[in-house]
Amino acid sequence: MIYLKSKEEIDKMRSAAQVVVEALEKLKENVVPGVSTWDLDRMAEELAIKKGAKPAFKGYSNYPASVCFAVNDEVVHGIPSKKKILKEGDIVGLDFGVSLEGYYGDSAITVPVGDVSSLAQKLLAVTKESLNRGIAEAYPGNRLFDISGAIQTYVEEEGFSIVRSFVGHGIGRKLHEDPQVPNFVPENGSHGKGIKLKPGMVIAIEPMVNVGRPDIKILNDGWTAVTVDGTLSAHFEHTVAVTDEGPVVLTQ
Ligand code: MF3
Ligand code: CO
């Protein structure tokens, strides 16, 4: 069941999304060699609470923290730790969501720690651009898998692979609503090109891109997803409203 949002609801979602944007900017400024993911998690949570918002991930399916991290070959959902210290040359995914007055916003960026390899730089650029290409397809009358296809085609042309095990999602009064938003065109052709996009749909588009194979496994902590082949992975996410004026990025 897909809930369409009114203009007023989309404005509320933008307010939540703006808290996420501020928090991610703060984290980005503080991503330097020597900082722990624990310290970054504290900063995001404190900022959200100061703004009257509630961290969306803490307690969700028993996730124990506010921010999901992903360092190097980690894909998503890394739990912060005082022992996880970022070092020069790492890349780190920062995924954060909040609810404010009953509405959710969700966004992720992956950033370099100091100077990183040219391969890492290319991975960050390609993953970010793939999200932008997906967003550009999010207009009324287009179909859901036009978004998925734009992301997948671009990523594979650049020689990288799209993770299949996690997908984007509708978002609104809940963190995860229908529809699921895959970053690849599902193989089972019976889906056609997916549902028709309508004004008032709000979706979180979140490509996860691996340098090598798309396969992932979950570590013993029950959360951290890593690439099976040990190659680097990156993740970018925006909360996007489908409107009569085209796609509107709320986490901008
Ligand atoms: N951005 C991710 C998502 O939308 C983060 C969820 S992690 C969890 O699914 F901890 F909340 F589960
Ligand atoms: Co999300």
Side-chain angles (χ1 to χ4, degrees), residues 57 95 106-107 167-169 171 175-176 204 206 235 237:
F57 305 162
D95 187 354
D106 186 8
S107 183
V167 295
H169 49 94
I171 179 168
L175 175 62
H176 294 153
E206 49 178 319
H235 176 213
E237 175 177 22

Side-chain angles (χ1 to χ4, degrees), residues 70-124:
V71 181
N72 297 335
D73 65 331
E74 295 172 357
V75 178
V76 284
H77 301 167
I79 299 168
S81 160
K82 285 180 184 170
K83 286 188 224 148
K84 191 102 181 176
I85 313 282
L86 299 179
K87 59 180 195 306
E88 179 98 16
D90 286 344
I91 58 172
V92 59
L94 310 165
D95 187 354
F96 190 52
V98 304
S99 63
L100 181 65
E101 291 173 21
Y103 289 88
Y104 283 81
D106 186 8
S107 183
I109 55 176
T110 302
V111 299
V113 185
D115 281 331
V116 302
S117 69
S118 55
L119 179 63
Q121 287 175 34
K122 180 180 171 187
L123 177 65
L124 299 186

Side-chain angles (χ1 to χ4, degrees), residues 128-204:
K128 190 173 188 180
E129 173 65 13
S130 76
L131 172 57
N132 287 334
R133 289 188 181 208
I135 291 168
E137 300 294 326
Y139 52 83
N142 227 358
R143 296 210 175 242
L144 186 65
F145 300 155
D146 292 325
I147 298 173
S148 316
I151 294 169
Q152 179 178 19
T153 302
Y154 173 68
V155 165
E156 292 177 354
E157 272 170 11
E158 293 294 330
F160 295 147
S161 67
I162 279 288
V163 171
R164 306 293 201 277
S165 309
F166 301 104
V167 295
H169 49 94
I171 179 168
R173 284 181 166 281
K174 293 199 294 180
L175 175 62
H176 294 153
E177 296 184 355
D178 288 339
Q180 292 199 354
V181 182
N183 303 297
F184 52 92
V185 180
E187 307 269 312
N188 179 348
S190 68
H191 297 286
K193 293 183 75 188
I195 55 158
K196 222 177 220 173
L197 300 177
K198 291 193 187 134
M201 286 181 181
V202 184
I203 52 179

